[in-house]
Amino acid sequence: MTLKVYTSLLLLFLVNSVWTRTVRQVYDELDPEHWSHYTSECPRECFCPPSFPNALYCDNKGLKEIPVIPARIWYLYLQNNLIETVSEKPFANATHLRWINLNKNKITNSGIESGVLSKMKRLLYLFLEDNELEEVPAPLPVGLEQLRLARNKISRIPEGVFSNLENLTMLDLHQNSLLDSALQSDTFQGLNNLMQLNIAKNSLKKMPLSIPANTLQLFLDNNSIEVIPENYFSAIPKVTFLRLNYNKLSDDGIPPNGFNVSSILDLQLSHNRLTKIPPINAHLEHLHLDHNRIKSVNGTQICPVSIAVAEDYGFYGNMPRLRYLRLDGNEIQPPIPLDIMICFRLLQAVII
């Protein structure tokens, strides 16, 4: 289980660099006689590296418009400019685009020409972070694998905008203006292969509805969530990394076995209002509970198995797997209770 999860996450976060490196290797020994051809096609505002002819670097140029993109381009870098519009004309010949980075511009929803994005049939990665979007742009390319929309002004998600994005593995909406009303029961419908969903730093008061069942990483930090519904995580049985730091969770807002979920390996509940450690599962490896209101910790009570069983060396194969426990910023006084060490034999770090 753990090996499969880490393999999937490795693919999710390293695919960018692996893919780019592979393409670079293909063109590292490009015949110099072709360089002049690539240079003549290159927009004068941009840089076209001869050793990487599929890439076009137009970042940090003070551009207000997107230049005409050559047909050969797969990777397009337009971040850190003053671009306000995304129209169809510059992309007329760029039918092979896989990756577009438009972070840190001035793009609004009205500045995106209708249908321009969905016509990019081969696009896999779309970065529109740090712009001025007020809703998720639509329609989107059906082949997208990553959509990054962090740090905009998004408060609306159009109905059905994700319904055809079956290949999407990462959706980043953190630091926007989403309220609970923006996340309906069918908002994420169609995201059958989503692995990471980031809705941190919004204005949510409730856990979002209908998270895709295959989600591995769910980030909900810096909201105002007070309650975890009963059996909430049974609908997302593969969730492995769960972040709920900087919310308003109290003991009463967590069901008796709310976090006793075998799939969760990393649970982060820092900066909440807890006065005791909630029941955890024996599979949990990292637990962050710093900066709550916990006054004491009792290893016998929080141990996922009985202390008597934990003391039995024959139990080693199934003993609790907790390796990292953070409790600083509470009202707990050292030393660490002995029963904590008896229960969690694999602990490598305890911070009080």
Side-chain angles (χ1 to χ4, degrees):
M1 164 68 179
T2 304
L3 180 59
K4 290 175 65 178
V5 167
Y6 285 140
T7 302
S8 298
L9 294 174
L10 189 61
L11 287 172
L12 176 64
F13 290 109
L14 298 184
V15 66
N16 301 358
S17 59
V18 171
W19 188 8
T20 303
R21 186 169 61 250
T22 301
V23 175
R24 285 182 181 275
Q25 289 171 348
V26 170
Y27 290 100
D28 269 346
E29 303 203 4
L30 184 69
D31 191 334
E33 71 182 40
H34 296 296
W35 291 4
S36 60
H37 167 68
Y38 291 125
T39 303
S40 65
E41 274 194 331
C42 187
R44 60 183 179 81
E45 310 95 328
C46 306
F47 172 61
C48 299
S51 61
F52 194 20
N54 288 101
L56 180 61
Y57 292 87
C58 308
D59 51 309
N60 297 287
K61 302 293 184 181
L63 300 179
K64 294 184 178 181
E65 296 181 348
I66 298 174
V68 175
I69 310 302
R72 71 175 189 274
I73 298 303
W74 286 24
Y75 305 95
L76 177 58
Y77 299 89
L78 288 161
Q79 66 270 26
N80 293 300
N81 282 295
L82 303 170
I83 297 168
E84 297 181 359
T85 60
V86 181
S87 60
E88 187 173 340
K89 186 176 179 180
F91 299 101
N93 296 320
T95 57
H96 295 282
L97 281 172
R98 265 62 165 184
W99 174 309
I100 298 179
N101 189 332
L102 278 161
N103 291 346
K104 295 187 178 179
N105 279 283
K106 298 182 178 297
I107 299 168
T108 62
N109 287 93
S110 60
I112 301 177
E113 186 176 334
S114 179
V116 63
L117 298 175
S118 61
K119 291 178 181 178
M120 300 177 185
K121 302 296 184 183
R122 301 186 183 185
L123 194 66
L124 302 179
Y125 296 77
L126 178 58
F127 301 169
L128 281 164
E129 299 178 343
D130 296 284
N131 278 280
E132 298 179 14
L133 299 173
E134 295 183 352
E135 64 179 50
V136 175
L140 292 162
V142 296
L144 272 186
E145 294 182 4
Q146 288 191 17
L147 177 60
R148 305 195 187 197
L149 299 170
R151 295 178 299 278
N152 277 275
K153 303 174 183 178
I154 295 173
S155 61
R156 298 185 301 276
I157 300 178
E159 184 177 356
V161 68
F162 302 127
S163 59
N164 295 319
L165 303 187
E166 293 187 0
N167 295 326
L168 200 72
T169 58
M170 175 191 285
L171 175 58
D172 191 344
L173 288 163
H174 88 269
Q175 201 166 331
N176 278 284
S177 303
L178 292 171
L179 299 171
D180 296 317
S181 58
L183 304 179
Q184 300 299 313
S185 59
D186 60 351
T187 296
F188 301 113
Q189 185 174 345
L191 299 179
N192 299 327
N193 290 296
L194 195 70
M195 296 171 63
Q196 184 188 106
L197 177 59
N198 192 341
I199 326 178
K201 294 189 177 181
N202 278 279
S203 300
L204 303 181
K205 294 183 178 180
K206 300 177 181 179
M207 295 292 284
L209 300 170
S210 300
I211 300 297
N214 285 319
T215 302
L216 295 176
Q217 297 183 325
L218 179 58
F219 302 153
L220 292 163
D221 314 74
N222 293 89
N223 281 285
S224 298
I225 296 169
E226 298 180 359
V227 176
I228 307 294
E230 190 83 34
N231 299 319
Y232 181 84
F233 298 106
S234 63
I236 42 176
K238 298 181 181 180
V239 64
T240 305
F241 293 84
L242 177 62
R243 289 196 339 216
L244 280 159
N245 303 319
Y246 291 95
N247 277 282
K248 297 181 179 180
L249 290 170
S250 63
D251 302 328
D252 293 337
I254 300 175
N257 284 295
F259 295 119
N260 187 0
V261 180
S262 61
S263 65
I264 298 178
L265 303 183
D266 190 301
L267 176 59
Q268 300 190 21
L269 297 168
S270 304
H271 294 271
N272 277 279
R273 300 173 178 177
L274 302 175
T275 64
K276 59 184 179 182
I277 298 176
I280 59 174
N281 193 272
H283 290 88
L284 188 67
E285 297 182 2
H286 295 82
L287 178 58
H288 299 246
L289 284 165
D290 55 287
H291 298 90
N292 276 275
R293 301 172 182 177
I294 301 170
K295 294 183 179 181
S296 63
V297 54
N298 186 317
T300 302
Q301 291 178 354
I302 69 170
C303 190
V305 300
S306 72
I307 291 292
V309 172
E311 287 183 292
D312 182 358
Y313 288 100
F315 185 74
Y316 184 85
N318 295 311
M319 72 164 52
R321 301 178 187 174
L322 195 67
R323 289 172 166 79
Y324 180 91
L325 176 60
R326 184 170 178 183
L327 291 165
D328 55 304
N330 285 282
E331 300 176 36
I332 303 169
Q333 299 297 321
I336 300 167
L338 179 61
D339 50 5
I340 290 284
M341 309 310 297
I342 292 174
C343 175
F344 301 108
R345 299 291 186 88
L346 301 181
L347 265 177
Q348 298 175 357
V350 182
I351 303 173
I352 296 182

